[in-house]
């Protein structure tokens, strides 16, 4: 017969062992946050429905985005890797947003001086994040994407990080390089491909944030047609036919180029005559259809945010400076999984954005059932008046006064 005292002792020993295991395996604390939102209080506006993430430079602003998602105080809060791109090549940065999705899981930071230098702001954030490493890629901690010289790789490796350099002379070639690299990591080529035009890259801003969220492929076309790199990407999907989503109006990518693309798959042009309108249309867009993959691993095709009701999160950015827009993709990848909306270049709110936000405005209901919206205001390009208007449009609608 087991004595009660021995049973209690055994339970106590097991509890002690369990607590000891938790203590030993719990991630160590990281360095304290130094993000611009905390350091520069004058650049942080917080309302009940919005928060501005900004720094005094585009480098610090990218750091602010990263710190909003990755506290890096415990292992679960650290990214798998960090993605470094040039701050003078927007098309390459947009192509690289594919790397932010799993299995890599990375915020985007910048290198400067034509891609030859890691600035202090970026290096400090690298050290704070201390990425865990991508297990399926030999624990790589930092990815260099684009025309970045080997000297930058040496700078980062000297700081103690394991680095992979994905080099390409231009964004079109980088898109192909990334497509092959991620096909190896994921054991498959994505059959959903976003198509952008480097000469009008601001139309693809909304697609870039989706890519960080969903991990679709991305390729480029030029005014001359479909470049060889893109052709090779599309042919690799054979015998399947890819689903192509074109982020450019007809005056940017002609109907003849779209027809050329249709030889490789089913193509849909995202509606919109301006980058602002196209971002709104993409936020509400959803394409669902046939199942993708083989019978033992097939999944439904479901692409686009498809948001037409309240209870969601948005990013508002000014397209005048792409360096404040493209890194917001990390806010679509994790955290609140926000979609992107754009102001006019002068910082005002377009009519299309106002109308869309009116559609998403929550109605007042019982507190236990109330639905809310939230918005990130990206960088310094959105004026305070526009930010307040954005906040008002996201806020729960107040009940109208009864008629006298």
């Amino acid at each position: 017969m087991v004595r009660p005292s021995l049973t209690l002792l055994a339970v106590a020993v097991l509890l002690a062992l369990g607590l000891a295991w938790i203590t030993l395996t719990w991630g160590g604390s990281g360095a304290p946050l130094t993000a611009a939102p905390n350091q520069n209080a004058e650049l942080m506006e917080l309302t009940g429905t919005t928060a501005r993430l900004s720094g005094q430079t585009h480098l610090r602003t990218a750091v602010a985005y990263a710190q909003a998602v990755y506290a890096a105080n415990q292992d679960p809060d650290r990214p798998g890797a960090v993605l470094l791109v040039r701050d003078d090549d927007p098309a390459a940065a947009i192509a690289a947003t594919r790397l932010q999705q799993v299995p890599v899981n990375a915020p985007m930071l910048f290198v400067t001086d034509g891609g030859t230098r890691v600035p202090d702001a970026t290096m400090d954030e690298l050290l704070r994040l201390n990425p865990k490493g991508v297990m399926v890629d030999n624990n790589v901690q930092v990815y260099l994407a684009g025309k970045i010289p080997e000297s930058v790789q040496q700078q980062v490796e000297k700081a103690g990080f394991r680095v992979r350099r994905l080099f390409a002379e231009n964004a079109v070639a980088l898109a192909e390089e990334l497509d092959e690299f991620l096909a190896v990591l994921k054991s498959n080529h994505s059959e959903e491909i976003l198509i952008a035009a480097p000469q009008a890259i601001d139309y693809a801003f909304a697609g870039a944030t989706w890519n960080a969220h969903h991990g679709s492929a991305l390729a480029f076309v030029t005014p001359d047609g479909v470049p060889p790199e893109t052709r090779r990407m599309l042919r690799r999907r054979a015998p399947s036919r890819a689903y192509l989503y074109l982020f450019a109006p007809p005056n940017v990518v002609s109907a003849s180029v779209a027809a050329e693309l249709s030889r490789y798959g089913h193509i849909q042009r995202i509606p919109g005559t301006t980058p602002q309108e196209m971002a709104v249309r993409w936020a509400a867009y959803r394409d669902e259809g046939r199942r993708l993959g083989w019978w033992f691993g097939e999944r439904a095709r479901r692409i686009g945010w498809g948001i037409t009701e309240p209870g969601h999160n948005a990013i508002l950015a000014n397209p005048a400076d792409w360096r404040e827009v493209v890194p917001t993709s990390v806010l679509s990848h994790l955290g609140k999984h926000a979609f992107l909306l754009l102001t006019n270049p002068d910082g005002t709110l377009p009519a299309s954005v106002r109308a869309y936000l009116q559609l998403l405005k929550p109605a007042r209901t019982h507190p236990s059932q109330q639905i809310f919206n939230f918005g990130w205001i990206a960088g310094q390009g959105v004026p305070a008046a526009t930010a307040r208007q954005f906040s008002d449009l996201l806020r729960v609608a107040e009940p109208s006064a009864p008629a006298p």
Side-chain angles (χ1 to χ4, degrees):
M1 182 176 179
V2 179
R3 296 181 181 178
S5 58
L6 294 178
T7 302
L8 290 174
L9 179 61
V11 170
V13 169
L14 289 174
L15 285 174
L17 290 174
L19 289 172
W21 180 82
I22 292 172
T23 303
L24 291 172
T25 57
W26 192 261
S29 60
L33 294 178
T34 58
N38 296 328
Q39 187 177 2
N40 305 307
E42 72 279 6
L43 298 176
M44 175 70 167
E45 295 176 16
L46 182 64
T47 69
T49 51
T50 64
R52 185 188 295 267
L53 299 174
S54 179
Q56 294 174 331
T57 67
H58 67 279
L59 303 174
R60 295 287 181 186
T61 296
V63 167
Y65 301 156
Q67 295 197 352
V69 174
Y70 299 103
N73 287 321
Q74 305 288 340
D75 277 350
D77 299 328
R78 291 160 53 204
V82 173
L83 170 61
L84 299 186
V85 299
R86 291 173 56 143
D87 69 348
D88 60 355
D89 193 345
I94 281 181
T97 54
R98 290 188 67 185
L99 280 170
Q100 295 183 268
Q101 233 273 337
V102 293
V104 175
N105 181 25
M108 178 184 290
L109 301 175
F110 289 117
V111 294
T112 58
D113 298 351
T116 62
R117 186 176 72 89
V118 181
D120 291 343
T122 296
M123 183 57 76
D124 289 346
E125 181 62 2
L126 264 177
L127 294 170
R128 187 196 71 84
L129 288 168
N130 188 24
K132 294 181 286 188
V134 180
M135 184 179 63
V136 295
D137 190 23
N138 201 26
N139 292 318
V140 167
Q141 296 170 286
V142 178
Y143 290 88
L144 310 180
K147 192 176 181 180
I148 299 176
E150 194 173 348
S151 59
V152 171
Q153 178 174 349
Q154 294 168 353
Q155 291 179 51
V156 179
E157 287 176 339
K158 188 176 180 180
F161 296 104
R162 189 183 294 268
V163 181
R164 180 176 294 282
R165 179 167 160 256
L166 298 165
F167 182 85
E169 286 289 340
N170 55 61
V172 178
L174 178 63
E176 183 186 20
E177 173 79 11
L178 292 171
D179 192 57
E180 283 300 279
F181 172 69
L182 288 170
V184 172
L185 287 193
K186 297 183 177 183
S187 302
N188 193 19
H189 287 96
S190 172
E191 294 182 8
E192 302 158 346
I193 307 176
L194 311 186
I195 306 293
Q199 72 273 19
I201 203 64
D202 46 351
Y203 284 95
F205 286 162
T209 57
W210 168 261
N211 243 7
H213 170 74
H214 186 70
S216 303
L218 188 139
F220 292 103
V221 293
T222 67
D224 299 325
V226 183
E229 296 89 344
T230 299
R231 290 178 186 275
R232 290 194 293 267
M233 279 182 62
L234 297 176
R235 288 193 187 110
R236 291 186 184 110
R237 272 69 186 172
S240 299
R241 286 176 60 81
Y243 288 84
L244 312 176
Y245 302 87
L246 179 56
F247 283 79
N251 63 313
V252 174
V253 174
S254 67
S256 61
V257 175
E260 188 179 357
L261 282 169
S262 69
R263 295 169 54 192
Y264 302 97
H266 176 73
I267 184 165
Q268 298 186 50
R269 191 190 295 268
I270 305 305
T273 57
T274 66
Q276 291 78 9
E277 185 180 350
M278 193 167 287
V280 167
R281 296 294 190 93
W282 180 245
Y285 181 90
R286 170 64 62 83
D287 180 34
E288 297 187 16
R290 77 170 184 88
R291 302 184 72 82
L292 304 177
W294 301 100
W295 67 269
F296 52 82
E298 66 180 10
R299 61 181 177 83
R301 186 180 85 257
R302 185 177 295 114
I303 187 168
W305 294 100
I307 292 174
T308 56
E309 72 288 319
H312 296 281
N313 306 281
I315 304 164
L316 184 65
N318 189 328
D321 187 353
W322 71 268
R323 301 170 303 179
E324 289 191 342
V325 182
V326 178
T328 63
S329 50
V330 72
L331 304 173
S332 300
H333 166 49
L334 284 180
K336 295 180 179 294
H337 299 284
F339 58 90
L340 178 69
L341 298 173
L342 298 172
T343 70
N344 293 316
D346 64 1
T348 58
L349 210 57
S352 59
V353 174
R354 292 198 302 271
Y356 179 60
L357 291 176
Q358 286 286 1
L359 177 67
L360 304 185
K361 195 172 184 67
R364 178 70 66 181
T365 186
H366 190 275
S368 65
Q369 298 175 330
Q370 185 62 61
I371 295 174
F372 298 94
N373 293 323
F374 184 80
W376 295 111
I377 299 168
Q380 302 181 60
V382 179
T386 302
R388 286 192 292 271
Q389 187 181 12
F390 180 53
S391 178
D392 290 342
L393 287 166
L394 292 173
R395 187 172 292 127
V396 175
E398 296 298 331
S400 56

